[in-house]
């Protein structure tokens, strides 16, 4: 048996009992086939990145269970034909992975590099490479080690 997880995106306009019924049906299929149900984590209502079936929000549920591949196919088939399921994805569960809902404020917070958070006095000095300007006002860039070859018929000045 393999450990799988399914992330369900359900229609927010459906009653909570209908949503629980979908999860209960998946659990019944797992247990009838001799599998083991590990967890069900209701992540709640979240705003979608783009509308799905004219819905701006969805209700997320994450379920983790052990079962055979044939049972997983049956669960996916049942979820595909249910109109209350906007999307679902079934994957192998990675041992030790987090199955709790992501926090709302964690998504909004941007990771700040350590040197940006440090006061200016303690920040390491960064030096920008200098660009020299030739007499004719054009910047001189570091080129390759080889000089460019003059095209035939032209001479270098």
């Amino acid at each position: 048996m393999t450990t799988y997880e399914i992330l369900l995106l359900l229609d927010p306009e459906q009653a909570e009992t209908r949503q629980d019924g979908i999860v209960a049906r998946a659990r019944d299929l797992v247990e009838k086939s001799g599998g083991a149900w590990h967890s069900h984590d209701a992540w709640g209502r979240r705003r979608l990145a783009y509308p799905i079936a004219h819905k701006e929000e969805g209700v997320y549920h994450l379920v983790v269970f052990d079962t055979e591949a044939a049972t997983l196919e049956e669960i996916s088939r049942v979820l595909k034909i249910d109109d209350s399921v906007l999307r679902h994805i079934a994957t192998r569960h990675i041992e030790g992975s987090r199955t709790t809902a992501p926090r709302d404020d964690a998504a909004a917070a941007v990771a700040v590099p350590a040197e940006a958070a440090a006061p200016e006095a303690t920040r390491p000095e960064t030096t920008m490479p200098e660009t020299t300007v030739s007499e004719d006002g054009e910047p001189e860039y570091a080129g390759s080690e080889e000089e460019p070859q003059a095209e035939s018929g032209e001479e270098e000045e």
Side-chain angles (χ1 to χ4, degrees):
M1 285 201 189
T2 307
T3 304
Y4 296 103
E5 63 183 45
I6 297 179
L7 183 62
L8 297 166
L9 175 58
L10 304 179
D11 186 348
E13 295 174 2
Q14 296 296 319
E16 192 171 323
T17 56
R18 174 75 178 117
Q19 295 174 14
D20 292 339
I22 294 169
V23 174
R25 182 153 186 212
R27 184 174 188 155
D28 287 342
L29 288 170
V30 168
E31 291 174 347
K32 284 180 183 176
S33 70
W37 188 264
H38 291 291
S39 67
H40 167 227
D41 190 12
W43 287 8
R45 184 181 290 243
R46 305 274 174 167
R47 183 161 176 79
L48 303 176
Y50 55 90
I52 299 174
H54 305 288
K55 312 281 190 229
E56 298 289 329
E57 293 182 327
V59 179
Y60 288 86
H61 292 267
L62 181 70
V63 295
V64 181
F65 53 89
D66 288 334
T67 194
E68 299 294 332
T71 305
L72 180 66
E73 289 175 13
E74 176 64 14
I75 293 170
S76 289
R77 186 190 71 78
V78 168
L79 293 173
K80 284 179 189 176
I81 61 175
D82 194 329
D83 291 337
S84 298
V85 179
L86 298 177
R87 295 282 192 276
H88 76 279
I89 186 166
T91 59
R92 281 189 174 170
H93 179 70
I94 298 171
E95 193 62 38
S97 66
R98 185 177 96 172
T99 59
T100 58
R103 294 179 39 191
D104 290 330
D105 57 331
V110 177
V112 179
E115 59 190 41
E120 281 193 37
T122 61
R123 285 187 193 164
E125 251 185 68
T126 57
T127 57
M128 296 298 290
E130 283 190 33
T131 303
T132 58
V133 179
S134 65
E135 293 174 6
D136 60 353
E138 293 291 321
E140 294 178 5
Y141 299 101
S144 63
E145 293 180 18
E146 297 180 18
E147 289 292 319
Q149 298 291 327
E151 303 231 355
S152 59
E154 294 181 14
E155 290 185 19
E156 211 173 78
E157 292 183 34

